[in-house]
Amino acid sequence: RVFVMVVPPQGNYIVGRSGRASVLNENGVGAAGAVDSTSSAVYADMLGTSSFAFTKQDADSRLKVTIHAGAFISVAATRPMYGVAIGSADYDVVSQTINPINTHTNISGVSYLSAVPAGAYTVQGRWRRVSGTGLVQRNTEDWLSISVKELT
């Protein structure tokens, strides 16, 4: 859609685009969690998560990465970061401090990536501990869902 707005009194106008972004491509994975933990400050693959193929078609488009994950911690005030590896690069998506120990907590977030070149990729769920001293853990009660959409 295109709209034109007349701005009186000079008669200047503004032309712009309205409406939603177009989705060029989408893929993802969702599954009950595997028994897994991390205390690493650098990204590690999340066990039991299938990687998936994704092809970015347009060099000028953005990727919308969405993660929904469950986790629990062994020491209060431990903060995990969830992200994805796209090809050989890691991208942060969502982080949240978890306070109650051994309490399953759901974490969700979205990140828009504009620096990914067009091409075929493997996407892998990743995580790391950003702060705190405890283990970040998950088990079969913790869901993991990752989606990647290419937007114009």
Side-chain angles (χ1 to χ4, degrees):
R1 293 183 236 177
V2 174
F3 68 89
V4 176
M5 180 171 60
V6 177
V7 181
Q10 297 87 2
N12 297 329
Y13 60 91
I14 300 168
V15 177
R17 177 179 166 191
S18 67
R20 297 180 179 189
S22 298
V23 176
L24 297 176
N25 194 7
E26 179 178 10
N27 201 358
V29 64
V35 176
D36 194 6
S37 67
T38 189
S39 60
S40 175
V42 296
Y43 271 118
D45 289 352
M46 298 176 76
L47 298 179
T49 61
S50 299
S51 59
F52 59 93
F54 187 85
T55 301
K56 186 169 186 274
Q57 299 174 5
D58 185 346
D60 296 327
S61 65
R62 296 184 307 159
L63 297 183
K64 178 183 177 183
V65 180
T66 305
I67 293 180
H68 304 286
F72 59 101
I73 56 166
S74 63
V75 175
T78 298
R79 188 174 115 199
M81 171 70 76
Y82 290 87
V84 291
I86 299 177
S88 61
D90 287 318
Y91 299 94
D92 294 342
V93 177
V94 61
S95 181
Q96 174 180 315
T97 299
I98 303 173
N99 275 313
I101 64 171
N102 297 322
T103 301
H104 294 268
T105 303
N106 294 314
I107 301 170
S108 296
V110 174
S111 185
Y112 291 88
L113 310 176
S114 57
V116 180
Y121 295 97
T122 298
V123 178
Q124 172 67 51
R126 310 261 286 162
W127 63 346
R128 61 189 175 104
R129 187 183 70 198
V130 177
S131 65
T133 59
L135 284 174
V136 181
Q137 303 169 82
R138 64 191 190 104
N139 63 24
T140 56
E141 297 177 30
D142 299 300
W143 189 261
L144 175 66
S145 174
I146 303 170
S147 171
V148 179
K149 291 181 182 180
E150 181 179 6
L151 306 173
T152 59

